[in-house]
Amino acid sequence: MVAKESKQRGRPRSFDRDTALEKAIRSFWEHGYESTSISDLTREMGISAPSLYAAFGDKRALFEEAVTVYGRLYGGFITRALAEEPTGRRGVERALREAAAEYTVPDRPRGCMVISAALNTAPASAEVAASLRQKRQQNVREIERAVRADIAAGDLPPGTDARALAEYVSAILAGMSQSARDGTDRHTLEAVADLAMNAWPRTEQPAPDTP
Amino acid sequence: MVAKESKQRGRPRSFDRDTALEKAIRSFWEHGYESTSISDLTREMGISAPSLYAAFGDKRALFEEAVTVYGRLYGGFITRALAEEPTGRRGVERALREAAAEYTVPDRPRGCMVISAALNTAPASAEVAASLRQKRQQNVREIERAVRADIAAGDLPPGTDARALAEYVSAILAGMSQSARDGTDRHTLEAVADLAMNAWPRTEQPAPDTP
DNA sequence: GTTTTTGTGTAGCGAGCGATACAGAAAGTT
DNA sequence: AACTTTCTGTATCGCTCGCTACACAAAAAC
């Protein structure tokens, strides 16, 4: 995919595809799918419409690619936190904490692109909305898996409702994204994340090893 | 405003203004401001474009009126809960619980119109987005006031960060709205609301009256 | 140098957008 | 009845949308 087999034959592309895609990501992230017009994109990407269509297909395909690359570059922190931390609690705690930072990086669109890029669901872009919803639900299932692992490990009470706890975490994440879009600063969002973790169920006995 | 001074002179309106406005509310609530076109509105409201413009001004004015009436008919439960319950905790608890119900009423757009109706902020409708953001921030300040009241009453530890706690509640509300839009059912949302309340800070001593 | 291939720029397609001009219809006023 | 006022339906307006036809430019292949 990346390695070019041999020299291209025709006239070479006069712009850097990755740079242009990055600009497209920023545009979609900032304004959402519908509200980002082709002329917005060509202006931001610094290319003409025919070049855009030649390089990326159509608006829909460009958006799909933007979401994919966004996930790799900016949206992976939740998955990473859950995978790298020893317990679900630590993973979620880190994910929430990192969200506070990620959602408020200066000179970058605030909040989560997947959460906010297609909330206005016009019939014409219903497929886009459905695709993003699926991604969010996939994320919830990922969190739920981490919760179940904690229950199995005895780090959470056996009666814990894993589905609800996962939905709760997903909701607070969406809420923080929303809050960030409205201008809430990083410090306040971190305080929100701390508070949210107080809701994490406590085990009856702290540890059964100290007699 | 409501009482008609005397008999109207010209040809009477052939549709009920309130019913038409209700239809407009549903449309904006479901699809958002930008994604609801004038032709969508005229179809749903059962009137022609000139009638719409004569009765409501332009699209922007119709939306403003829709948001106002939405707040009176559907969005007032938070203010009501905070005002009627004896403590902030009880008020927020009730608001969260009612949100779970309000956001998932069958045959009604899911989630909160103010939160979701203008998240896609195209430059053309930046004013609309700003207006809605202001309403949300006003809501946060309302919650913050209730929290401060609890602190003063000794129902919350003196060191409680009122601003952060208010932002947390606002975030979980926004998250639940998002979650509801994605299809999460009322039962699960209620479980989320219960979980969220576990984050509410506890006072050191339950009550200083029992010796 | 000629041919082939591919990208670029101009210019414009049909469709839908928000909004309105205009003529006619339906009520009260006289 | 005639007149005035207001609302309604048709038929658009100018504009922007996503998208593309077409001629020209710039590279490799021969």
Side-chain angles (χ1 to χ4, degrees), chain A residues 30-35 40 115-123 132-133 136-137 161 163-172 174-176 178-179 181-185 187-189 191-193 195-202, chain B residues 30-35 40 115-123 132-133 136-137 161 163-172 174-176 178-179 181-185 187-189 191-193 195-202:
Chain A
E30 180 83 33
H31 303 292
Y33 175 71
E34 286 181 59
S35 301
D40 290 338
I115 291 173
S116 60
L119 285 167
N120 279 352
T121 59
L132 290 172
R133 181 170 55 245
R136 271 178 255 128
Q137 289 167 343
D161 185 343
R163 168 108 190 286
L165 192 49
E167 280 287 350
Y168 166 74
V169 174
S170 169
I172 195 70
M176 286 168 71
Q178 177 65 49
S179 199
R181 286 209 145 229
D182 283 354
T184 302
D185 65 14
H187 181 74
T188 303
L189 280 182
V192 169
L195 271 167
M197 285 311 296
N198 286 340
W200 196 268
R202 287 156 182 77
Chain B
E30 180 82 34
H31 303 293
Y33 175 71
E34 287 181 57
S35 302
D40 289 338
I115 292 174
S116 61
L119 285 167
N120 279 350
T121 60
L132 289 172
R133 181 169 55 245
R136 269 177 256 130
Q137 289 168 343
D161 185 342
R163 169 106 192 287
L165 193 48
E167 280 288 350
Y168 167 75
V169 174
S170 170
I172 195 70
M176 287 168 71
Q178 178 66 50
S179 199
R181 287 211 144 228
D182 283 354
T184 302
D185 64 14
H187 181 74
T188 303
L189 280 181
V192 169
L195 270 167
M197 285 312 295
N198 286 339
W200 196 268
R202 286 155 182 77

Side-chain angles (χ1 to χ4, degrees), chain B residues 1-65:
Chain B
M1 298 291 182
V2 174
K4 32 193 74 164
E5 304 287 337
S6 70
K7 275 292 183 184
Q8 285 279 69
R9 275 250 282 174
R11 172 176 176 173
R13 191 177 281 127
S14 69
F15 60 94
D16 183 71
R17 195 178 184 281
D18 292 343
T19 304
L21 180 55
E22 173 69 26
K23 295 288 186 184
I25 292 173
R26 299 299 181 105
S27 296
F28 282 130
W29 195 350
E30 180 82 34
H31 303 293
Y33 175 71
E34 287 181 57
S35 302
T36 304
S37 70
I38 295 291
S39 77
D40 289 338
L41 290 167
T42 55
R43 185 176 5 89
E44 291 297 320
M45 299 165 83
I47 63 178
S48 62
S51 297
L52 187 156
Y53 281 86
F56 299 101
D58 60 1
K59 186 185 177 183
R60 175 74 192 281
L62 172 58
F63 181 70
E64 298 283 357
E65 193 170 345

Side-chain angles (χ1 to χ4, degrees), chain B residues 96-135:
Chain B
L96 287 177
R97 186 161 287 280
E98 288 189 2
E102 288 288 332
Y103 289 170
T104 59
V105 173
D107 302 319
R108 202 204 262 182
R110 299 169 78 97
C112 168
M113 178 177 171
V114 174
I115 292 174
S116 61
L119 285 167
N120 279 350
T121 60
S125 51
E127 291 178 23
V128 173
S131 158
L132 289 172
R133 181 169 55 245
Q134 221 169 355
K135 276 189 174 289

Side-chain angles (χ1 to χ4, degrees), chain A residues 37-51:
Chain A
S37 70
I38 294 292
S39 76
D40 290 338
L41 289 166
T42 55
R43 185 176 4 88
E44 291 297 321
M45 299 164 83
I47 63 178
S48 62
S51 297

